[in-house]
Amino acid sequence: QVQLQESGPGLVKPSETLSLTCSVFDGSISSYYWSWIRQPPGKGLEWIGYIYYRGNTNYNPSLSSRVTISVDTSKNQFSLKLNSVTAADTAVYFCARDAGVLRFLGYMDVWGKGTTVTVSS
Amino acid sequence: EIVLTQSPGTLSLSPGERATLSCRATQSVSSSYLAWYQQKPGQAPRLLMYATSNRATGIPDRFSGSGSGTDFTLTISRLEPEDFAVYYCQQYGNSPGSLTFGGGTKVEIK
């Protein structure tokens, strides 16, 4: 059963860049679409964007000016960079896999456990 | 952007009762692209339903989904203690960047 694990700094200063990595275990990153989703404390879920293993991306328009998602198939990882962060970017960040093989189905069947990122000086 | 509004915000019910959760969209959503997730405190969301009415792997048949167009429903026929959680609907549209979640419905023990 494929597993996902997020990693990265838990604390980021305002105006700096948040960087997270999602590692894929017991499965291949190939053939799938991979998303980042976040959840501010006590609030709902917000989709950040996705990347196909070949590198095609699609971002939430509300974040697109600050977001970059990349993939490293040799390491079975994909990454998130969010620049110019503020306190409003404080959230639990999840990585997840779209259920479709070689196609985007629009729902996510495998999720990481999430990692908390706090933006504070 | 398609906005999903879930109601009620909180549903207070007893084990064994039926739960009916609503998800309403500001524009028509393809039934192929409407999903539901369950989230418990401190955990990641878990896929419950996809393409409106299909249960994900391992989801018991007390969960069912229905709807079309702008109105979708998740029904839990008889609540079990492990079903008390927050439920989110989610849609994917054809336009770039169009993947959104509803605000969630919390099902709590009465």
Side-chain angles (χ1 to χ4, degrees), chain A residues 80-114:
Chain A
L80 168 70
K81 290 190 185 298
L82 180 66
N83 59 36
S84 306
V85 297
T86 69
D89 296 309
T90 294
V92 176
Y93 285 76
F94 298 98
C95 57
R97 186 188 77 175
D98 185 85
V101 180
L102 297 175
R103 58 184 287 220
F104 188 74
L105 291 180
Y107 57 89
M108 290 151 283
D109 64 343
V110 181
W111 291 67
K113 293 183 177 180

Short mmCIF file of all heavy atoms in Angstrom, two decimals, chain A residues 80-114:
data_model
loop_
_atom_site.label_atom_id
_atom_site.label_comp_id
_atom_site.label_asym_id
_atom_site.label_seq_id
_atom_site.Cartn_x
_atom_site.Cartn_y
_atom_site.Cartn_z
N LEU A 80 6.78 21.34 -2.71
CA LEU A 80 5.98 22.56 -2.71
C LEU A 80 6.86 23.72 -2.28
O LEU A 80 7.59 23.60 -1.29
CB LEU A 80 4.81 22.42 -1.74
CG LEU A 80 4.03 23.71 -1.40
CD1 LEU A 80 3.23 24.18 -2.61
CD2 LEU A 80 3.12 23.48 -0.19
N LYS A 81 6.79 24.81 -3.00
CA LYS A 81 7.38 26.06 -2.56
C LYS A 81 6.31 27.14 -2.60
O LYS A 81 5.62 27.31 -3.61
CB LYS A 81 8.57 26.47 -3.44
CG LYS A 81 9.78 25.58 -3.27
CD LYS A 81 11.00 26.15 -3.97
CE LYS A 81 12.19 25.21 -3.90
NZ LYS A 81 12.62 24.95 -2.51
N LEU A 82 6.18 27.83 -1.48
CA LEU A 82 5.22 28.93 -1.37
C LEU A 82 6.00 30.14 -0.87
O LEU A 82 6.53 30.12 0.24
CB LEU A 82 4.10 28.57 -0.39
CG LEU A 82 3.01 29.61 -0.16
CD1 LEU A 82 2.20 29.84 -1.42
CD2 LEU A 82 2.10 29.18 1.00
N ASN A 83 6.09 31.16 -1.70
CA ASN A 83 6.92 32.29 -1.31
C ASN A 83 6.11 33.42 -0.69
O ASN A 83 4.88 33.40 -0.68
CB ASN A 83 7.76 32.78 -2.49
CG ASN A 83 6.92 33.21 -3.68
OD1 ASN A 83 5.83 33.76 -3.52
ND2 ASN A 83 7.40 32.95 -4.87
N SER A 84 6.84 34.36 -0.11
CA SER A 84 6.24 35.55 0.51
C SER A 84 5.15 35.18 1.51
O SER A 84 4.04 35.72 1.47
CB SER A 84 5.68 36.50 -0.56
OG SER A 84 6.65 36.84 -1.50
N VAL A 85 5.46 34.26 2.41
CA VAL A 85 4.43 33.77 3.33
C VAL A 85 4.08 34.81 4.39
O VAL A 85 4.87 35.67 4.76
CB VAL A 85 4.86 32.45 4.00
CG1 VAL A 85 5.04 31.36 2.96
CG2 VAL A 85 6.12 32.63 4.84
N THR A 86 2.84 34.68 4.87
CA THR A 86 2.34 35.49 5.99
C THR A 86 1.72 34.54 7.00
O THR A 86 1.62 33.33 6.77
CB THR A 86 1.29 36.50 5.52
OG1 THR A 86 0.11 35.80 5.13
CG2 THR A 86 1.79 37.34 4.35
N ALA A 87 1.23 35.11 8.09
CA ALA A 87 0.58 34.29 9.12
C ALA A 87 -0.61 33.52 8.56
O ALA A 87 -0.96 32.45 9.06
CB ALA A 87 0.15 35.18 10.29
N ALA A 88 -1.23 34.04 7.53
CA ALA A 88 -2.38 33.36 6.92
C ALA A 88 -2.00 32.04 6.25
O ALA A 88 -2.87 31.24 5.91
CB ALA A 88 -3.05 34.28 5.90
N ASP A 89 -0.72 31.82 6.05
CA ASP A 89 -0.26 30.55 5.46
C ASP A 89 0.03 29.49 6.51
O ASP A 89 0.41 28.36 6.18
CB ASP A 89 0.99 30.80 4.62
CG ASP A 89 0.72 31.69 3.42
OD1 ASP A 89 -0.23 31.40 2.67
OD2 ASP A 89 1.44 32.69 3.24
N THR A 90 -0.17 29.83 7.78
CA THR A 90 -0.03 28.84 8.85
C THR A 90 -1.12 27.78 8.69
O THR A 90 -2.30 28.11 8.62
CB THR A 90 -0.16 29.53 10.22
OG1 THR A 90 0.95 30.40 10.42
CG2 THR A 90 -0.22 28.49 11.34
N ALA A 91 -0.69 26.52 8.62
CA ALA A 91 -1.65 25.45 8.33
C ALA A 91 -0.98 24.10 8.48
O ALA A 91 0.25 24.00 8.59
CB ALA A 91 -2.19 25.58 6.91
N VAL A 92 -1.81 23.06 8.48
CA VAL A 92 -1.31 21.71 8.25
C VAL A 92 -1.30 21.50 6.74
O VAL A 92 -2.30 21.77 6.06
CB VAL A 92 -2.20 20.66 8.93
CG1 VAL A 92 -1.70 19.26 8.59
CG2 VAL A 92 -2.22 20.87 10.44
N TYR A 93 -0.18 21.05 6.23
CA TYR A 93 -0.03 20.82 4.79
C TYR A 93 -0.02 19.32 4.53
O TYR A 93 0.76 18.59 5.13
CB TYR A 93 1.26 21.47 4.28
CG TYR A 93 1.15 22.98 4.17
CD1 TYR A 93 1.21 23.78 5.31
CD2 TYR A 93 0.95 23.60 2.95
CE1 TYR A 93 1.08 25.16 5.23
CE2 TYR A 93 0.83 24.99 2.85
CZ TYR A 93 0.89 25.75 4.00
OH TYR A 93 0.75 27.12 3.91
N PHE A 94 -0.94 18.90 3.64
CA PHE A 94 -1.05 17.50 3.27
C PHE A 94 -0.59 17.31 1.83
O PHE A 94 -0.88 18.16 0.96
CB PHE A 94 -2.50 17.01 3.34
CG PHE A 94 -3.14 17.06 4.69
CD1 PHE A 94 -3.95 18.12 5.05
CD2 PHE A 94 -2.96 16.03 5.61
CE1 PHE A 94 -4.58 18.16 6.29
CE2 PHE A 94 -3.57 16.06 6.85
CZ PHE A 94 -4.38 17.12 7.19
N CYS A 95 0.06 16.18 1.56
CA CYS A 95 0.23 15.77 0.17
C CYS A 95 -0.71 14.60 -0.08
O CYS A 95 -1.08 13.86 0.86
CB CYS A 95 1.68 15.41 -0.16
SG CYS A 95 2.44 14.12 0.85
N ALA A 96 -1.12 14.43 -1.33
CA ALA A 96 -2.11 13.41 -1.64
C ALA A 96 -1.96 12.96 -3.09
O ALA A 96 -1.45 13.70 -3.93
CB ALA A 96 -3.52 13.93 -1.39
N ARG A 97 -2.45 11.76 -3.36
CA ARG A 97 -2.40 11.20 -4.72
C ARG A 97 -3.78 11.18 -5.33
O ARG A 97 -4.75 10.76 -4.69
CB ARG A 97 -1.86 9.77 -4.68
CG ARG A 97 -1.62 9.15 -6.04
CD ARG A 97 -1.28 7.68 -5.93
NE ARG A 97 -2.46 6.86 -5.68
CZ ARG A 97 -2.45 5.54 -5.63
NH1 ARG A 97 -1.30 4.88 -5.83
NH2 ARG A 97 -3.55 4.86 -5.39
N ASP A 98 -3.88 11.66 -6.57
CA ASP A 98 -5.12 11.51 -7.30
C ASP A 98 -5.31 10.03 -7.63
O ASP A 98 -4.36 9.31 -7.88
CB ASP A 98 -5.10 12.34 -8.58
CG ASP A 98 -6.43 12.29 -9.32
OD1 ASP A 98 -7.32 13.08 -8.97
OD2 ASP A 98 -6.57 11.45 -10.23
N ALA A 99 -6.57 9.61 -7.64
CA ALA A 99 -6.87 8.18 -7.81
C ALA A 99 -6.66 7.66 -9.22
O ALA A 99 -6.60 6.45 -9.44
CB ALA A 99 -8.30 7.90 -7.37
N GLY A 100 -6.54 8.54 -10.19
CA GLY A 100 -6.44 8.09 -11.57
C GLY A 100 -5.05 7.65 -11.97
O GLY A 100 -4.06 8.25 -11.54
N VAL A 101 -4.96 6.62 -12.78
CA VAL A 101 -3.69 6.17 -13.35
C VAL A 101 -3.59 6.73 -14.76
O VAL A 101 -4.44 6.47 -15.59
CB VAL A 101 -3.62 4.63 -13.39
CG1 VAL A 101 -2.28 4.18 -13.98
CG2 VAL A 101 -3.81 4.06 -12.00
N LEU A 102 -2.60 7.56 -14.99
CA LEU A 102 -2.35 8.21 -16.28
C LEU A 102 -3.45 9.18 -16.68
O LEU A 102 -3.47 9.65 -17.81
CB LEU A 102 -2.16 7.16 -17.39
CG LEU A 102 -0.95 6.24 -17.22
CD1 LEU A 102 -0.95 5.17 -18.31
CD2 LEU A 102 0.34 7.05 -17.28
N ARG A 103 -4.36 9.46 -15.76
CA ARG A 103 -5.40 10.45 -16.02
C ARG A 103 -5.82 11.07 -14.69
O ARG A 103 -5.68 10.43 -13.64
CB ARG A 103 -6.60 9.82 -16.71
CG ARG A 103 -7.25 8.69 -15.94
CD ARG A 103 -8.37 8.03 -16.71
NE ARG A 103 -9.55 8.88 -16.78
CZ ARG A 103 -10.79 8.41 -16.67
NH1 ARG A 103 -11.01 7.12 -16.48
NH2 ARG A 103 -11.83 9.21 -16.78
N PHE A 104 -6.32 12.30 -14.75
CA PHE A 104 -6.73 13.00 -13.54
C PHE A 104 -8.20 12.75 -13.31
O PHE A 104 -9.03 13.10 -14.16
CB PHE A 104 -6.44 14.50 -13.70
CG PHE A 104 -6.65 15.27 -12.43
CD1 PHE A 104 -5.74 15.19 -11.39
CD2 PHE A 104 -7.74 16.11 -12.27
CE1 PHE A 104 -5.91 15.90 -10.22
CE2 PHE A 104 -7.93 16.83 -11.10
CZ PHE A 104 -7.01 16.73 -10.08
N LEU A 105 -8.53 12.15 -12.17
CA LEU A 105 -9.92 11.87 -11.85
C LEU A 105 -10.53 12.92 -10.93
O LEU A 105 -11.75 13.00 -10.81
CB LEU A 105 -10.05 10.48 -11.22
CG LEU A 105 -9.78 9.30 -12.16
CD1 LEU A 105 -9.94 7.98 -11.42
CD2 LEU A 105 -10.69 9.35 -13.38
N GLY A 106 -9.69 13.68 -10.26
CA GLY A 106 -10.20 14.78 -9.46
C GLY A 106 -10.53 14.44 -8.03
O GLY A 106 -11.11 15.27 -7.32
N TYR A 107 -10.19 13.25 -7.56
CA TYR A 107 -10.35 12.94 -6.15
C TYR A 107 -9.11 12.19 -5.68
O TYR A 107 -8.42 11.55 -6.45
CB TYR A 107 -11.63 12.15 -5.88
CG TYR A 107 -11.78 10.86 -6.63
CD1 TYR A 107 -11.29 9.66 -6.12
CD2 TYR A 107 -12.42 10.83 -7.87
CE1 TYR A 107 -11.41 8.48 -6.81
CE2 TYR A 107 -12.55 9.64 -8.58
CZ TYR A 107 -12.05 8.46 -8.04
OH TYR A 107 -12.18 7.30 -8.74
N MET A 108 -8.86 12.28 -4.38
CA MET A 108 -7.59 11.82 -3.82
C MET A 108 -7.78 10.64 -2.89
O MET A 108 -8.50 10.74 -1.89
CB MET A 108 -6.91 12.99 -3.11
CG MET A 108 -6.43 14.02 -4.14
SD MET A 108 -6.38 15.72 -3.54
CE MET A 108 -8.13 16.16 -3.59
N ASP A 109 -7.13 9.54 -3.24
CA ASP A 109 -7.36 8.30 -2.49
C ASP A 109 -6.25 7.95 -1.51
O ASP A 109 -6.44 7.06 -0.68
CB ASP A 109 -7.60 7.14 -3.45
CG ASP A 109 -6.39 6.83 -4.34
OD1 ASP A 109 -5.49 7.69 -4.44
OD2 ASP A 109 -6.37 5.73 -4.93
N VAL A 110 -5.12 8.60 -1.59
CA VAL A 110 -4.03 8.36 -0.65
C VAL A 110 -3.53 9.71 -0.16
O VAL A 110 -3.26 10.60 -0.97
CB VAL A 110 -2.87 7.58 -1.30
CG1 VAL A 110 -1.76 7.34 -0.27
CG2 VAL A 110 -3.35 6.25 -1.87
N TRP A 111 -3.42 9.83 1.17
CA TRP A 111 -3.00 11.09 1.78
C TRP A 111 -1.83 10.85 2.72
O TRP A 111 -1.74 9.80 3.37
CB TRP A 111 -4.15 11.68 2.61
CG TRP A 111 -5.32 12.16 1.83
CD1 TRP A 111 -6.20 11.38 1.09
CD2 TRP A 111 -5.78 13.50 1.71
NE1 TRP A 111 -7.16 12.18 0.52
CE2 TRP A 111 -6.94 13.48 0.89
CE3 TRP A 111 -5.35 14.72 2.23
CZ2 TRP A 111 -7.65 14.64 0.57
CZ3 TRP A 111 -6.06 15.87 1.91
CH2 TRP A 111 -7.19 15.83 1.09
N GLY A 112 -0.96 11.84 2.82
CA GLY A 112 0.02 11.83 3.90
C GLY A 112 -0.65 12.23 5.20
O GLY A 112 -1.81 12.67 5.21
N LYS A 113 0.07 12.10 6.30
CA LYS A 113 -0.49 12.43 7.61
C LYS A 113 -0.54 13.93 7.86
O LYS A 113 -1.25 14.39 8.75
CB LYS A 113 0.31 11.74 8.70
CG LYS A 113 0.19 10.23 8.68
CD LYS A 113 0.94 9.59 9.83
CE LYS A 113 0.73 8.07 9.83
NZ LYS A 113 1.44 7.39 10.94
N GLY A 114 0.21 14.67 7.07
CA GLY A 114 0.22 16.11 7.21
C GLY A 114 1.37 16.61 8.06
O GLY A 114 1.85 15.89 8.95
#
